[in-house]
Amino acid sequence: MRIFLIIFVFIIAAVVSIFGFRGSLSEKTPIEIFPDMDRQARYKPQGENSFFEDGRNDRPIPVNTVARGNYLNYEEVFSEDFDDTVLGSTTFLQGKNPDGSWVKKLPVEADYTLIELGREKYDIFCSACHGAAGDGNGVTKPYGILATSYHDDRLRNEADGYIYDVITNGKGLMYGLKDRLTPEERWAVVLYVRALQRSQNATAEDVPAGERAELGI
Ligand code: HEC
C-alpha cells in the first residue's frame, strides 16, 4: 500500500508538471534541455559582413546563372481591371487578343537587340531539343525526344501568339517555360524562331539587290 501511494503521488506530480502548464505563458527564460536551433551561427539577410569586400551578407547572383522558377503570374498578382498598357495586356501576357484568338504579330517592337535576346534564350532553353537551327536535331534526339522542326508551312503560318503560347504553356511532350522566361523574353524567342524559319526558307530574292551581286547570286 505504501509503495502504491508513493507511485501514485509520483505519477500525479509527473502528470501535472508535464501536462499541467501546457499553453500557459511565462516571461522567464525557458530551460533549454535541447536547444535545437534556437541559437545558430548564421548571417541575417541584408545584414553587414566584413568578410566580403562589399560589406554585405547577401551575395550577388553569379554571372550566367540560369533562372529556375522565377515565375510571376501577373494575373494572380494584379486584378483583372489592372490598367497598364504592358503588364495589364492579355495580348502581351498570353499572346491572345481580347476575343481569345491568337495575336498575329509580335506585340512588342522588334529590333536587333530583341533578336539577340531571343537568340541567347533560345540557345539556353530550346536548342537542346530543337537544335541550333530549329530543325529538331537537338542533342536530346538520340534519346528519343523528337522535338518538332520549325521549318514546315504549318508552323511558318501559325500566328506569333501561338508560338508564344507553346513556349509559355508547352505542348504535348514539351513542358512550358513560363517559370524560366519572362513574357518579354518569350516574345524575344518567338522573334528568334521567326528568324530561324526565315533563315531556312529564304530565296535569292530576299537578299537586297546590291548585296546579291556581291555574293554572286
Ligand atoms: C525538353 C525538350 C524541349 C525543349 C527544351 C523545348 N521543346 Fe519545343 N517541343 C518539344 C517537343 C517534344 C515538341 C513536340 C510536342 C508535341 O507535339 O507533342 C515540341 C514542340 C514545339 C513547337 C511546335 C508546336 C506545334 O504546334 O507543333 C514549338 C513552336 C516549340 N516546341 C518551340 C519551343 C521553343 C521556342 C522552346 C524554347 C523556349 C522549346 N520549344 C523548348 C521539346 C522541347
Side-chain angles (χ1 to χ4, degrees), residues 45-194:
Q46 302 187 3
E48 280 181 30
N49 193 322
S50 57
F51 181 78
F52 297 108
E53 212 164 74
D54 61 3
R56 300 185 300 169
N57 273 342
D58 298 344
R59 306 316 309 141
I61 297 167
V63 277
N64 299 330
T65 300
V66 175
R68 278 190 66 192
N70 61 352
Y71 172 50
L72 169 66
N73 187 339
Y74 291 89
E75 292 130 69
E76 283 164 12
V77 177
F78 299 105
S79 75
E80 245 174 46
D81 45 30
F82 177 71
D83 197 18
D84 180 293
T85 41
V86 176
L87 290 180
S89 123
T90 58
T91 326
F92 177 70
L93 295 177
Q94 301 169 5
K96 285 181 191 163
N97 294 313
D99 65 3
S101 59
W102 298 122
V103 170
K104 271 267 160 241
K105 284 262 160 273
L106 228 43
V108 285
E109 204 187 315
D111 57 14
Y112 197 67
T113 334
L114 198 69
I115 296 193
E116 273 299 310
L117 175 69
R119 185 172 65 87
E120 185 196 332
K121 297 297 169 187
Y122 181 89
D123 286 347
I124 296 170
F125 292 106
C126 322
S127 62
C129 295
H130 287 277
D135 52 8
N137 284 322
V139 291
T140 52
K141 195 176 179 183
Y143 304 99
I145 296 184
L146 300 175
T148 316
S149 160
Y150 305 141
H151 310 301
D152 65 15
D153 281 338
R154 181 180 67 86
L155 281 177
R156 270 185 221 122
N157 296 329
E158 278 292 3
D160 287 352
Y162 174 77
I163 310 281
Y164 177 88
D165 184 72
V166 173
I167 301 172
T168 309
N169 298 313
K171 183 181 180 238
L173 280 179
M174 179 183 147
Y175 50 75
L177 286 136
K178 63 182 165 200
D179 58 341
R180 287 155 233 208
L181 295 168
T182 64
E184 202 208 351
E185 288 167 349
R186 280 174 246 157
W187 285 116
V189 173
V190 172
L191 184 61
Y192 188 66
V193 167
R194 291 301 187 213

